[in-house]
Structure formats: C-alpha cells, structure tokens
Amino acid sequence: MGASASIPSLVQAQAAHGELVWRERALLGLGTTLWLKAAHANTERVDSALDSAVRAIRDVERQMSLFDSASSLQRLNARGILAHPEPRLLEVLTLSREIARRSGGSFDVSMQALWQVWEAAARQGALPSERVLKQARQRVNWRALEISPDRLRLNVRGMQLSLNGIAQGYAADSPRAALMAHGVAHAMIDAGEISLLGEAPDKQPWIFGIVDAAGRQPDENSLGDLEVVGDFPDGHDGVVSSARWHGLGQIGGRKHQRSAKFSICG
C-alpha cells in the first residue's frame, strides 16, 4: 500500500487511542540543520519512530553527502569509480539520469565543477573568466555517468557529482516512510526539503512560509514577514524551496548580484 493511501487509516487509529504526544529531533546533516517533529498517542512509539527516522537520514547522508569526505558520493568523486554502490545511491543516480534525459540536461548532477567555479569566484568578489567556465563545462556531462549494480563510473576526467538538487528531497521521503512504518500519522520532516503528514500540533493544517531570498529574517513571533507558500489540508504533501543570493561586489564599476527564489508544493 502506498504511503498516501495509508494516512487516513493511521489518523483514524491514532484518534481512537487518545491525545497525541509530540516529540522532536534536531540534528546537523547534509550541510544544514535538520528538524523532525512527530506525534503519536504512545510516547515510546513516537520516540522509537523518530530514532528510526534519524537513522534513515544518516543512511542517506552516509551515501550522498558532499560534506562528508567518507561518503559514497565523495569517494566516487575522488576516484572516478565506486564498486558495488548501495541501493539508495543507485536509485537516486538512476532517477537523476532519467530526469536529465527528460529535461534535456537542464537537471544535471554532474554540474559540481561549475558550482565550484562560481563559489570560488563569489568568495573572491569576482566573476569567473570565460576560460575557467569553458574548462568546467567540459567536465559536465550526465551521459558520461555509468550506472550499474556492479559499479558507478565517471567517464570524464575531473568530473564530479552533486546530489544537492535531489538528495535532500530523498532525505525527507526516507524518514517519512520510517515514521509511517511506526504508525505515525502526524509529522513534519525538514531535511532541507519539507515533507508533511497529517495535522500540525494545533490540529490545523500545516502552514509553510519562506523568508526573502536576500536573507532578511522574519519576526519569530509573526508570519507577517514571511511569504506564505500555502497550507496543506490533505496532510500528506511536500515542499521544495530553493533560494540563492550572490553579492559579488563591484567589478568593472558595476555591482553584480544574483537572487532567485522558488517553491514547489505537491
């Protein structure tokens, strides 16, 4: 049975067992702060569910993080080859390749070389030269990623992968499944992307908002400074948000900056 199909039965089962107990976990992972919040009528059950959810996140991190030099992804980037990849990594890379194919390469997990060039330029308050960009682009090619259960191979010298555009969503789905396996029907998983179950602690639909892309912070006691993306009455939704702001300083008498922000709910 799919996850969304099982939510009504979980909600009914918990309603029959009395008041919900809410528990939280906050942790660092995937280069950011992660937050899990879940409820169940049985305290031991929700604590056990959250422990299982944290283990699921750590497993994703161990395989896909760019912030851990020992992760499977970083070992692949360093060596250009990885024997016997674990199922989660194999699944995400296979899906990434299919998305790249369907998008004509607009989504491309081999873009890490370009990301590094732009990050280095931003730190120096400069724009990357066309020569440096051209060299980086030569190492970007999703078709050069060889995927099989036996091995992963990067078939372009210097090519590196980043799963930041997909791993955080996967890291939200995995603990969600772990929570539901323990009978949890009300939860919020923030793993860099958001996954929601059931109702919020006030027994109302979850409400999601984002701050300005340029980094202005909201009043912690008010939603007035947030752009509210929406509420989620169905209780089995997800939110993907991305924002990036670069201030590159004065270059050639001109101020260069970029900002972008978007959210997808579904």
Side-chain angles (χ1 to χ4, degrees):
M1 181 180 295
S4 60
S6 64
I7 289 174
S9 60
L10 288 174
V11 171
Q12 293 170 5
Q14 290 194 15
H17 286 84
E19 194 68 21
L20 294 174
V21 178
W22 285 89
R23 289 285 191 268
E24 299 181 15
R25 296 282 192 279
L27 57 149
L28 296 176
L30 297 169
T32 188
T33 301
L34 313 179
W35 185 31
L36 310 178
K37 189 179 184 76
H40 197 279
N42 184 298
T43 303
E44 291 184 0
R45 177 74 68 86
V46 70
D47 285 338
S48 178
L50 283 167
D51 289 343
S52 180
V54 169
R55 287 193 296 271
I57 289 175
R58 291 304 189 205
D59 190 51
V60 173
E61 184 179 32
R62 181 176 57 80
Q63 296 183 50
M64 305 180 204
S65 176
L66 280 176
F67 301 91
D68 178 1
S69 61
S71 73
S72 299
L73 178 63
Q74 284 292 61
R75 287 186 283 120
L76 172 63
N77 283 340
R79 302 170 186 171
I81 191 167
L82 182 71
H84 308 297
E86 296 183 68
R88 288 181 190 269
L89 181 58
L90 192 63
E91 178 184 0
V92 169
L93 286 176
T94 300
L95 176 59
S96 298
R97 185 172 60 182
E98 178 61 15
I99 297 172
R101 185 187 66 81
R102 293 189 181 189
S103 67
S106 294
F107 180 86
D108 189 339
V109 296
S110 72
M111 46 64 67
Q112 181 65 4
L114 275 172
W115 176 266
Q116 291 170 337
V117 164
W118 280 102
E119 281 293 283
R123 287 194 299 270
Q124 297 170 7
L127 292 173
S129 69
E130 193 56 42
R131 178 183 62 83
V132 171
L133 286 172
K134 182 178 180 180
Q135 290 174 344
R137 290 190 193 104
Q138 291 173 349
R139 301 195 298 272
V140 177
N141 183 357
W142 63 269
R143 294 180 179 85
L145 171 58
E146 181 182 327
I147 303 174
S148 76
D150 294 328
R151 71 175 185 180
L152 302 172
R153 185 181 179 92
L154 308 180
N155 288 317
V156 171
R157 178 182 287 275
M159 177 178 168
Q160 292 189 24
L161 307 184
S162 168
L163 296 177
N164 288 354
I166 191 170
Q168 288 179 323
Y170 193 86
D173 289 343
S174 296
R176 172 194 174 104
L179 292 172
M180 293 182 65
H182 283 76
V184 170
H186 305 279
M188 187 277 294
I189 302 107
D190 180 356
E193 312 297 354
I194 307 294
S195 186
L196 305 170
L197 285 172
E199 296 176 339
D202 60 2
K203 299 183 180 180
Q204 297 299 314
W206 293 99
I207 297 175
F208 182 79
I210 57 176
V211 297
D212 186 85
R216 290 191 291 269
Q217 295 298 313
D219 180 343
E220 64 180 10
N221 298 315
S222 171
L223 288 175
D225 295 322
L226 290 173
E227 178 181 337
V228 176
V229 175
D231 57 15
F232 302 90
D234 294 335
H236 48 276
D237 299 273
V239 182
V240 176
S241 251
S242 184
R244 186 67 177 170
W245 183 80
H246 286 286
L248 297 178
Q250 295 285 341
I251 303 171
R254 295 178 55 194
K255 184 177 181 180
H256 291 264
Q257 65 183 42
R258 297 181 172 195
S259 64
K261 176 179 65 177
F262 66 89
S263 293
I264 301 172
C265 309

